[in-house]
Amino acid sequence: MKITKEKAAENRQLLVETASRLFREKGMDGVGVAEISKAAGLTHGALYAHFPSKDALAAEAMQFSTRSAYGKLTEHPVTLPQLVDYYLAPEQRDNLAQGCPLAAAASEVARQDASVGAGYTGGVRQMADYIETLLPAGEGRRQQALAIVAALVGGVSVSRNVYKTDSKLADEVLESVRSMLLKLS
């Protein structure tokens, strides 16, 4: 049965959004194309009609998720302290499926295809560019913005990684990173 171009575009977007959510929730190597297809309500064949490989889907899902996260981040003007408080909230740490794709994939991207890394790199650049606009003008502003991105992403990643075995330490990590970053603002 032939589908319209509009329906094909909808199916493709549904696959990308579903993969984006599942990759953040379960990891890129923790979910297969069958699970992504099923969660999207489509078949393997439909997935492979749009993407030649899981890597191609992962690359597009990473680009989609970093663009979406950047859109949420910049939707309402905030100060650096507000951004830090938002990003390092336990709710962000605990929401794998909807949380920041940079934190979700921090330990995985290096093991993925370079096309996935390109989407991740774009997300890091966007976030650093945005944070740079929140900092006072002056020498070292870019360096400071990149350090803040690394601290935010790393703080959430470490907190997530210790949460199941030591929730108190996980909260302490978030609070320590928050405290150090707020001293910069």
Side-chain angles (χ1 to χ4, degrees):
M1 181 166 82
K2 199 89 161 139
I3 61 171
T4 66
K5 287 182 183 182
E6 292 80 17
K7 185 61 178 169
E10 275 180 39
N11 288 348
R12 181 183 181 89
Q13 187 60 33
L14 181 59
L15 287 164
V16 169
E17 290 176 15
T18 302
S20 172
R21 178 179 49 81
L22 289 173
F23 287 150
R24 282 181 280 169
E25 184 178 356
K26 298 180 177 196
M28 291 180 193
D29 292 333
V31 64
V33 294
E35 186 176 353
I36 294 166
S37 300
K38 183 177 178 182
L42 299 168
T43 65
H44 292 78
L47 187 145
Y48 285 116
H50 292 284
F51 301 97
S53 66
K54 181 181 173 185
D55 285 341
L57 174 59
E60 193 161 327
M62 178 59 73
Q63 290 173 354
F64 169 79
S65 62
T66 56
R67 274 193 321 269
S68 295
Y70 181 73
K72 286 180 196 172
L73 182 67
T74 59
E75 190 174 9
H76 304 289
V78 296
T79 63
L80 183 58
Q82 290 170 324
L83 173 63
V84 168
D85 284 341
Y86 171 78
Y87 196 93
L88 294 173
E91 297 81 18
Q92 290 295 320
R93 174 200 56 215
D94 300 343
N95 189 353
L96 292 169
Q98 299 301 316
C100 177
L102 300 179
S107 65
E108 290 189 276
V109 171
R111 292 185 295 275
Q112 301 301 318
D113 187 78
S115 61
V116 176
Y120 190 91
T121 300
V124 170
R125 285 184 194 282
Q126 281 184 319
M127 192 168 176
D129 291 347
Y130 179 69
I131 289 172
E132 195 172 354
T133 69
L134 302 177
L135 297 171
E139 190 174 324
R141 191 165 107 169
R142 181 65 173 179
Q143 182 180 16
Q144 191 176 7
L146 288 167
I148 291 169
V149 170
L152 290 171
V153 171
V156 170
S157 297
V158 170
S159 183
R160 281 179 177 166
N161 289 339
V162 302
Y163 184 76
K164 287 181 184 175
T165 56
D166 193 338
S167 63
K168 185 178 175 187
L169 177 61
D171 290 341
E172 190 178 358
V173 167
L174 292 180
E175 187 50 44
S176 296
V177 175
R178 178 185 295 107
S179 176
M180 295 303 292
L181 290 178
L182 292 178
K183 289 177 184 178
L184 298 172
S185 56

